[in-house]
Amino acid sequence: MINVRPRTYLSPGNVKEVAALSDWFLRKYIEPFVNDEEPTYIDISFNKRIDTLGLASEGHYDYEYLIELNPVVGYWDWMRTLVHELIHVKQYRLCQMVPVEGGTKWRTARSKRYKKYSFDTPYMECPWEQEAYALEKHYWGIWQRTIEGRQYLR
């Protein structure tokens, strides 16, 4: 389930596309790989006050995730940032990335064991960021170029 909080500075078309892209990603790249029947909730808001392009975090309830996007950077940047943050939601939902006290635990697809990374780990050395940056162009390209992705706008 996707919830996009409307803002006066966003056109209804932009809100619709954010919801459509998120719904497409959820149905194609998250839900088929989840082993339980619980629904996934994604709450998306735009926040001009954050000091980054976007943030993804776990919500207060199981399977609830929050994405904040900075709309100041413009349409193309925040749409691509949305894809990046949706990849993090996927990592959370599939338990690849687990927040723990003092850092984050990460499990690669090849390994069954988690490795803990402290908050002191440089941003670009975090494996979840490396994966998200590597995949965001791929997913964004599929969304832009294929009818499969764009049909969610209807």
Side-chain angles (χ1 to χ4, degrees):
M1 181 174 178
I2 307 294
N3 176 45
V4 180
R5 298 182 196 172
R7 296 285 190 244
T8 56
Y9 48 81
L10 293 176
S11 74
N14 286 345
V15 171
K16 183 179 178 181
E17 187 164 2
V18 166
L21 170 60
S22 302
D23 187 48
W24 168 77
F25 192 92
L26 176 64
R27 292 176 193 270
K28 184 158 178 76
Y29 298 107
I30 298 175
E31 287 181 346
F33 304 101
V34 173
N35 294 327
D36 56 48
E37 296 295 320
E38 297 296 323
T40 302
Y41 298 96
I42 303 174
D43 188 19
I44 302 167
S45 70
F46 292 84
N47 184 347
K48 292 180 178 180
R49 294 184 183 102
I50 59 174
D51 62 352
T52 183
L53 293 175
L55 300 168
S57 60
E58 290 188 306
H60 296 292
Y61 303 102
D62 289 343
Y63 314 119
E64 177 189 56
Y65 305 93
L66 309 172
I67 294 177
E68 285 189 286
L69 299 171
N70 189 335
V72 175
V73 295
Y75 171 82
W76 294 107
D77 286 331
W78 53 259
M79 286 300 285
R80 201 153 139 196
T81 300
L82 174 60
V83 173
H84 181 98
E85 301 308 329
L86 286 166
I87 292 166
H88 289 319
V89 169
K90 178 183 177 185
Q91 293 166 342
Y92 280 127
R93 185 65 171 95
L94 301 180
C95 298
Q96 284 182 285
M97 183 167 60
V98 179
V100 294
E101 189 173 328
T104 302
K105 290 193 308 186
W106 173 256
R107 178 178 48 89
T108 63
R110 295 184 306 266
S111 173
K112 299 289 184 201
R113 293 189 174 163
Y114 286 96
K115 180 178 178 185
K116 184 177 177 184
Y117 292 83
S118 74
F119 290 133
D120 296 331
T121 305
Y123 178 80
M124 290 307 293
E125 290 180 20
C126 297
W128 54 91
E129 292 299 343
Q130 292 171 353
E131 180 179 271
Y133 278 108
L135 293 174
E136 75 180 34
K137 292 176 190 172
H138 172 73
Y139 292 136
W140 176 238
I142 291 172
W143 169 257
Q144 286 187 294
R145 291 187 294 273
T146 64
I147 294 172
E148 173 193 347
R150 302 303 282 184
Q151 74 183 353
Y152 279 80
L153 278 172
R154 295 183 186 146

